[in-house]
Amino acid sequence: MDSTIGAFVSGQHTILDNENIPKDASSGGYNWITKDGKIILAGGRRAVGSEGTAGKCPVLWFGYKVNGDKVLYRKITDKLQYFNGSDWVDIQTGLSDVDYSFQNYSSLSGSFTVFNSTDGFYKINNAHPDSPISLYNASKNFHGKILIDSGRTLLWDRNDANKRDRTGLYGSYIDRQDSTVYTAVTGESIGALGSTTYTGTLAFKAGGASRNCFAITFAGTVAAGAETFTDNLDGTLKSSRAGGSGTINYATGDYSVTFSAITTGAVTAAYQWEDSTNKGIADFTKSATRLPGEGFVFPQDEGGDPILNVVIGPDGAYYSLKEKSAYRLSIDADDKNATNKVFRKDIGIPAWRACVSTGSGIVFLNTANPSKPELTILQNNPLGDAVEKYSIISHFKFSDYDYTDSYFDTYERYLMIFCKKLGNPKNDTILFINVDGKSVDVVKYNGLCSAKDGDNLYIGSPFTDSVYQILNGFDDDGLEIENYWDGRGEIFQTESLKKEKKLRIMGLIDPDQAIQVWMDTDDSGFVLVGTIVGSGSYVDYSTSQAIGVNFIGQSQLGGDDVASAYQYFCEIKVKTPKFRKRMIRFVATGIGYADINTLMDRDVLIFEDRIPKKYRNKQNVSLSGLITNLDNPQF
């Protein structure tokens, strides 16, 4: 008989015995990813900037400039930094060894990244990542974890000098983005006449350190006539005349303007400024009788367990996930009324970042029963009239991992769970989960957090102050990528003993790569039966396929390196003893791309219906099961 796996779609199954999992499923392994009917060797890893010293990088975040450019931020042990393209640059130093909560916020005043923790509340205009604005004001706001949505900051896990509140959910003013919070300045003099270059600081900054400016113009007169400078929104100023140029720092108000010629008339500036601590995203105050758009606080004290994270649900409401329960906060569109109530008492998460809001719903690891964690999604029921919880991916044994420092994120079609194998001190595993495809793959990279830039994926190390790009290139910092993939315990639909003569395997391979093929019969241990080499005669070099680490078929899977891979169709002759079941293991041993899309078993011969020889060593066993080879087996 023959047997063929024509597509690999099931991923890893670890709950059931390996004989009872799908034909194409993996019973164990790591660093192979299931995608588009293939199993693909995971991409490599490389350091971003210099390798760090001992410590950790628990937070990574991309901020966005108005022109679409991105800024990569990180919080390491005692510093807040950004990456300038080659090096990590300090923003704040001497910080506590605590996580920071990051959020992006865009308004008419600019594009910002906001940071909050127990020792800082900062706003950074992403055009000037090295110029943080301190927003902390004990009479206006708090330290804690944040979510910014619809022009308002939500804050929980409050921890500042005035109060420690682990069960209260706070809200700021709604940023109106108009003259309520924006102040216009016109005709501000910037210097004496008769110069070409003018430098200084706009006057608004002297009135408050938490202010920032925007919509800047400068105007003056040169011999040829009026010359104006307009704001490009990226920190540069464009002159109306050739030869003029300028810069503005929106956070500090520092400017430098060079006219095309010596000025002959008044030189003035016009702009607007705001202060986020005054009726903005960093103002949590309210009137004695609260008015719409002002701050608030809602107690969520049921059970006494702390709020760990707040995420937006598929119905637009805010879900506070706690250790043993969840709350739902729904705010009316006019901001006059809200409903704050317990949503469920049978759910809970193990850590702050053990959940993520996706297009399908809120996905989290439900540890209400710590000994049996379940991957769960909160989503609209089929009728669309309520949000319900559903357990997903029930075939994977999530209890094999520790989620104390877990982190959830999405990447391409995957949900990623950063965790650690039980008993290990630091995160050492990333579970790649295709929720729609119901598959799980295990990737062995150490990570505490992640950030995405298109197809590029970055992670923060739990061991050092380092950031790595993963699923990129074909090597692990110059070394081969450790890996293996174990298939199912295949019995070919019969309990009879069998022998097998041939394996046929198809896929794509790099000329420098090799894939070892191992076989285990009846749990007797894996034996190497052959190797697929990228330079073999069974590789078709007449046509190649362009491969970025991420280019697979017509879709992308991380990274930006480009190489070529070639179709192979390899037949391996095998010689086996009689067996009841067999397992296949694949191990890539070189550096280069590799995938497998088809596995064929050919000439499987069927023999007698007996148990394998290794289990036939007990004959005439006593009723106690302790004595063998008796003349009379009844004793």
Side-chain angles (χ1 to χ4, degrees), residues 107 109-110 112 123 125 133 135 182-183 204-205 208-214 249-253 271-276:
S107 70
S109 63
F112 305 95
K123 180 176 78 172
N125 188 310
I133 300 171
L135 297 179
Y182 295 161
T183 300
F204 81 94
K205 197 63 179 182
S210 53
R211 297 177 177 184
N212 63 273
C213 66
F214 59 100
N249 187 312
Y250 306 111
T252 65
Y271 56 92
Q272 296 185 66
W273 62 265
E274 69 162 354
D275 183 345
S276 293

Side-chain angles (χ1 to χ4, degrees), residues 11 14 23 30 32 63 98 165 179-180 219 268 303 308 356 358 421 461 474 504 534 564 571 608 619 625:
T14 54
K23 185 175 183 177
Y30 56 83
W32 288 84
V98 293
D165 184 1
S179 59
T180 304
T268 61
L308 295 179
V356 66
T358 72
K421 196 72 175 175
S461 171
F474 305 103
R504 293 177 182 172
S564 294
E571 181 176 270
E608 66 272 22
Q619 301 295 323

Side-chain angles (χ1 to χ4, degrees), residues 349 445 463:
I349 61 175
Y445 285 129
F463 292 100

Side-chain angles (χ1 to χ4, degrees), residues 174-191:
I174 296 176
D175 184 5
R176 292 277 297 274
Q177 300 188 52
D178 59 19
S179 59
T180 304
V181 291
Y182 295 161
T183 300
V185 176
T186 59
E188 180 177 314
S189 177
I190 68 166

Side-chain angles (χ1 to χ4, degrees), residues 187-196 198 218-221 227 229 255 257 259 263-269:
E188 180 177 314
S189 177
I190 68 166
L193 305 181
S195 297
T196 302
Y198 295 82
F218 288 87
T221 303
E227 184 170 0
F229 295 80
Y255 62 84
V257 180
F259 284 80
T263 58
T264 60
V267 180
T268 61

Side-chain angles (χ1 to χ4, degrees), residues 64-75:
Y64 298 87
K65 297 183 180 182
V66 173
N67 63 5
D69 290 345
K70 302 176 182 68
V71 182
L72 181 58
Y73 297 97
R74 73 175 181 181
K75 166 64 169 58

